[in-house]
Amino acid sequence: MQSRIKLLPSHVANQIAAGEVVQRPASVAKELMENALDAGATEIKLIVKDGGKALIQVIDNGTGMNEVDARMSFERHATSKILTAEDLSHIQTKGFRGEALASIAAVAHVELKTKTAEDELGTYIHTEANKLISQKPVATTKGTILSVKNLFFNIPARRKFLKSIQVEMRHVTDEFHRLALAHPQIVFHLIHNGNTIYQLPKSNHLQRISNIFGSRLKERLVPVKEETDYVKIYGFVGKPEFVKLKRGEQFFFVNDRFIKSPYLHHALLSAYEGLIKPKSYPSYFVYFEIDPEHIDVNIHPTKTEIKFDDEPTVYSILRVAARHSLGQFNLSPSIDFERDSSLDVPYDYVKKTPRTPKINVDPDFNPFEEEKKSKPNFLHKIKQEKTIFWDGLQSETQELSGQLEQDIAQEQLFESEVGQEHVSFQYLNKYIVTTHKDKLVFIHQNRAHQLVLFQQLMKQKEQNKFNAQQLIFPIELELQPYEIELLKTREELLTSFGFDVEYQQKFILIKSIPFEQKTLDITTIFQGLIKNLSLDIPMDVQQIEVDFAQNIAEKTAVQSGTKMNKPEMDALISDLFGLNNAVFSPKGKRIFVSLSGIEIENKLNR
Ligand code: ADP
Ligand code: MG
């Protein structure tokens, strides 16, 4: 039989490689700007037509290329940036694979004009699908102009796949932002269809951020800084009250290269634990500096993912640094106490104790008794002990709440109504309606119950007093052996919450539970815990505890849509208002709304 294996012709190989490197106009813009940066340019102009579908052009004032290099630059695996595999571990440049120009040229019309400082004349090269159309000397200034036209002209399927001009332009702009943010000392321009979108002067990081995203953003950030032998961290994170409801300005850079990292994202978000509501997104701009020996940037052709050789360390340093910054910011009295009182502070905010396990350490501290005095008091305490911060947040939250919330926090609700008839009924099987002074109060039964259960769990845990319920018939839960191993590593946590567990090879037996609740859904609760543990994300014990308690509360609480009888409702109301603070559920949702007599009258007389 004839041999059948053949080497691919280079134009085919280039087209295949192009599939990886060149996904859309934005990828071309990125590669060309990176080449300009690698060439030492101090000014880079990106000129785009029709979202890059018609033209992507990058003009730089970098080193330029001589005639030979200009021709060579379009060859695959042609690079001036590394010579040996050894060099891979010290990469300082953006590119090194020598693939970008070859890949781009394989799927577009390309024109290059380039000149070095030494040469009199520059070189002009025109190619289409990597075929040389023309080459000649040209008069030009030092640097390079690379124009890419009609991207994917020879791959109709991919050309058709391109999105609208607006969408493609958004991607181009994203890449532009990433590079401009990483290199504030470089002047950048972005021009689309003749309009100047950005003209960014040489500046520092914070100025660059505000030049791109507006000066208001600058006021909403706090600095982060941490230096260790392994990694240096520098940057800015958003103040908790300016979080967004959708993902927005979130940037990590490692050695000035933008990277995506769900892992580090998680680290950063965890620093906001308790400060922001779930599903909200703080802005961040975080720059890591690390010896290139410790990272691998070569795991992805577009190099937006990298690997640190010690990921958990970076995770912890980032988390601690960010938390520290957020804490410092919250300690600053001028900002701390002058805050907008309409601020929505999630309940989470007050119950976390990141450093000391003590919550409400000062039993005599009543923020409402003498509200005015409590501020200096609190400030005084801060000076004594930094970690007291969380306690302060509690008083702050209570200050922020309205009169009704305060009354509730002070357990005045029923006291003030002595002698008055107390009404409560269920509405839509979802809310408990009750009265307080002249107000009608609507309580979200599910959230209220979640909070009550959560607080009960945390309190019992803290005091180590569990009325664990022994089960006559232990609950058997079938699990994978690795899941059982995971649970075993958290035996202490489980016992501390009142779960008595017996471990077998392929199942566990749950012999006691924290409290008797007919709604307690053990299976889901354990599965939630296992999932959390198997994420392999370093979490501190407290975070796991809080997550676990939240989970139990969530899965156990009376659901919306469940009919409640009068004694059940009354018990819930009194449990709820017996708490120090009953404004937000453990996951930060509002528990009740109220309507006053005046509000009703206003509505009637409108
Ligand atoms: P890589 O950047 O991975 O080396 P590229 O295909 O992007 O590969 O570029 C190939 C080579 O062409 C580069 O190594 C560099 O020597 C040269 N080159 C590309 N763009 C420029 C530019 N704007 N200025 C100077 N040299 C350039
Ligand atoms: Mg390159």
Side-chain angles (χ1 to χ4, degrees):
M1 197 175 113
Q2 237 187 333
S3 314
R4 288 176 304 165
I5 300 178
K6 297 200 179 61
L7 273 178
L8 285 174
S10 75
H11 71 276
V12 180
N14 281 336
Q15 267 202 22
I16 294 171
E20 278 193 329
V21 180
V22 188
Q23 276 134 19
R24 54 183 358 137
S27 344
V28 175
K30 169 181 185 267
E31 293 294 340
L32 298 188
M33 286 191 287
E34 286 191 350
N35 280 345
L37 284 165
D38 286 346
T42 56
E43 181 159 358
I44 297 173
K45 234 182 225 175
L46 171 61
I47 297 169
V48 179
K49 287 201 177 128
D50 294 349
K53 293 193 218 186
L55 170 76
I56 305 144
Q57 183 178 56
V58 171
I59 304 175
D60 73 53
N61 63 353
T63 56
M65 288 176 267
N66 65 25
E67 195 189 335
V68 177
D69 285 347
R71 270 301 283 279
M72 272 295 280
S73 68
F74 291 105
E75 295 297 320
R76 202 144 72 96
H77 305 309
T79 178
S80 54
K81 297 166 195 173
I82 55 170
L83 272 178
T84 64
E86 241 282 278
D87 294 341
L88 272 175
S89 51
H90 321 283
I91 287 162
Q92 303 283 358
T93 52
K94 304 280 174 201
F96 54 83
R97 297 164 69 115
E99 277 178 336
L101 285 189
S103 303
I104 294 165
V107 294
H109 298 166
V110 174
E111 280 173 282
L112 167 69
K113 240 190 224 180
T114 185
K115 191 182 92 67
T116 63
E118 302 89 66
D119 292 333
E120 272 293 291
L121 277 179
T123 307
Y124 169 86
I125 292 177
H126 176 190
T127 67
E128 290 182 2
N130 260 342
K131 245 192 16 240
L132 186 66
I133 305 290
S134 89
Q135 176 175 350
K136 56 190 179 198
V138 67
T140 179
T141 49
K142 179 202 144 209
T144 302
I145 304 177
L146 219 144
S147 316
V148 175
K149 294 179 186 164
N150 307 324
L151 185 66
F152 299 138
F153 79 98
N154 53 348
I155 315 178
R158 300 208 58 187
R159 175 105 195 149
K160 242 181 25 212
F161 177 76
L162 292 178
K163 298 278 190 322
S164 67
I165 289 175
Q166 288 83 344
V167 171
E168 294 302 338
M169 193 55 203
R170 209 188 61 226
H171 287 286
V172 171
T173 310
D174 282 347
E175 295 295 352
F176 180 85
H177 284 164
R178 292 164 182 180
L179 283 165
L181 287 168
H183 298 275
Q185 74 287 3
I186 308 287
V187 179
F188 277 92
H189 308 252
L190 174 58
I191 295 146
H192 186 219
N193 288 344
N195 302 317
T196 299
I197 316 281
Y198 290 108
Q199 196 153 13
L200 304 170
K202 184 174 175 209
S203 62
N204 65 27
H205 284 96
L206 190 57
Q207 285 163 343
R208 181 55 58 91
I209 293 169
S210 85
N211 284 335
I212 293 179
F213 296 109
S215 49
R216 281 186 65 199
L217 181 67
K218 198 165 87 177
E219 292 151 23
R220 299 174 172 193
L221 299 172
V222 282
V224 177
K225 201 169 158 76
E226 185 64 65
E227 294 197 2
T228 70
D229 289 343
Y230 183 70
V231 67
K232 286 192 189 128
I233 297 178
Y234 165 81
F236 305 89
V237 299
K239 295 177 185 172
E241 67 264 45
F242 295 115
V243 294
K244 297 186 154 187
L245 291 177
K246 60 178 178 44
R247 262 163 210 275
E249 293 108 21
Q250 301 184 321
F251 297 88
F252 287 126
F253 301 92
V254 175
N255 295 350
D256 297 336
R257 188 192 294 280
F258 169 82
I259 58 145
K260 290 179 186 157
S261 169
Y263 185 72
L264 293 182
H265 175 75
H266 187 279
L268 200 105
L269 278 200
S270 77
Y272 283 87
E273 260 255 326
L275 298 171
I276 58 174
K277 289 186 178 185
K279 298 224 168 61
S280 49
Y281 301 93
S283 302
Y284 58 77
F285 305 83
V286 180
Y287 300 82
F288 298 85
E289 222 180 283
I290 186 166
D291 185 333
E293 296 253 357
H294 293 306
I295 52 172
D296 182 1
V297 289
N298 199 19
I299 51 173
H300 193 264
T302 61
K303 308 178 208 83
T304 46
E305 282 157 43
I306 68 157
K307 250 192 125 33
F308 295 89
D309 60 7
D310 185 359
E311 305 236 284
T313 293
V314 183
Y315 185 103
S316 308
I317 297 172
L318 173 62
R319 182 182 144 107
V320 170
R323 198 157 194 153
H324 181 75
S325 294
L326 294 169
Q328 284 221 318
F329 150 71
N330 275 302
L331 280 173
S332 152
S334 62
I335 309 167
D336 206 17
F337 295 106
E338 255 48 275
R339 269 208 241 166
D340 179 1
S341 63
S342 64
L343 199 68
D344 226 12
V345 180
Y347 184 77
D348 259 13
Y349 210 154
V350 302
K351 65 171 201 291
K352 296 294 170 55
T353 52
R355 305 237 160 83
T356 60
K358 277 184 263 141
I359 212 165
N360 304 337
V361 278
D362 183 355
D364 299 320
F365 180 53
N366 181 339
F368 304 113
E369 217 163 55
E370 290 175 88
E371 209 203 304
K372 301 270 142 42
K373 270 195 212 154
S374 73
K375 293 181 186 179
N377 230 346
F378 173 47
L379 277 180
H380 180 65
K381 275 168 51 175
I382 289 168
K383 290 198 188 94
Q384 293 173 345
E385 196 189 343
K386 235 177 169 179
T387 48
I388 213 94
F389 147 48
W390 293 98
D391 302 276
L393 292 181
Q394 170 161 26
S395 75
E396 187 191 30
T397 307
Q398 289 170 345
E399 277 168 34
L400 293 173
S401 317
Q403 177 61 37
L404 175 69
E405 285 87 339
Q406 290 191 9
D407 287 351
I408 289 165
Q410 287 177 286
E411 298 177 53
Q412 279 183 353
L413 189 71
F414 295 109
E415 280 167 44
S416 64
E417 287 187 75
V418 177
Q420 241 179 294
E421 210 200 325
H422 174 65
V423 203
S424 62
F425 61 91
Q426 199 187 17
Y427 175 58
L428 300 175
N429 284 348
K430 192 172 176 186
Y431 308 103
I432 299 169
V433 184
T434 184
T435 51
H436 167 62
K437 292 188 184 159
D438 74 324
K439 282 193 171 120
L440 201 53
V441 187
F442 297 77
I443 300 167
H444 193 287
Q445 67 190 38
N446 169 258
R447 293 177 190 170
H449 198 199
Q450 277 192 39
L451 180 63
V452 167
L453 292 172
F454 175 80
Q455 288 289 22
Q456 191 184 335
L457 276 164
M458 292 309 277
K459 196 165 143 205
Q460 289 180 342
K461 208 200 108 51
E462 209 132 289
Q463 302 171 340
N464 229 334
K465 271 196 264 166
F466 262 96
N467 335 327
Q469 303 287 317
Q470 293 299 322
L471 297 170
I472 305 168
F473 302 106
I475 301 171
E476 189 181 314
L477 206 62
E478 228 177 278
L479 292 170
Q480 299 293 328
Y482 84 92
E483 295 175 321
I484 295 173
E485 287 312 306
L486 263 183
L487 282 182
K488 271 194 199 160
T489 65
R490 299 292 170 177
E491 205 167 349
E492 220 170 295
L493 170 81
L494 291 169
T495 348
S496 75
F497 272 100
F499 288 102
D500 179 9
V501 181
E502 192 185 303
Y503 302 90
Q504 299 292 341
Q505 281 252 298
K506 296 203 164 159
F507 62 94
I508 57 171
L509 283 176
I510 298 156
K511 299 196 287 194
S512 79
I513 54 176
F515 37 48
E516 197 172 14
Q517 283 284 340
K518 50 179 188 268
T519 45
L520 194 68
D521 179 357
I522 296 284
T523 316
T524 322
I525 290 166
F526 270 72
Q527 267 152 7
L529 177 65
I530 290 168
K531 202 172 135 214
N532 224 348
L533 294 176
S534 53
L535 279 177
D536 199 24
I537 284 163
M539 286 199 266
D540 54 42
V541 181
Q542 261 151 1
Q543 199 186 331
I544 295 178
E545 283 173 5
V546 167
D547 280 359
F548 190 49
Q550 275 182 355
N551 201 10
I552 297 175
E554 191 181 32
K555 298 289 152 23
T556 310
V558 54
Q559 297 298 307
S560 293
T562 306
K563 181 118 201 83
M564 293 177 78
N565 60 29
K566 183 93 166 81
E568 283 170 343
M569 285 191 280
D570 286 345
L572 182 54
I573 295 173
S574 104
D575 283 348
L576 180 69
F577 294 160
L579 298 175
N580 273 339
N581 188 316
V583 184
F584 295 101
S585 78
K587 294 252 164 107
K589 298 253 175 71
R590 230 165 224 296
I591 289 179
F592 57 85
V593 291
S594 64
L595 200 57
S596 70
I598 295 169
E599 283 166 317
I600 295 173
E601 230 153 85
N602 283 344
K603 277 183 195 298
L604 288 170
N605 296 326
R606 206 168 24 200

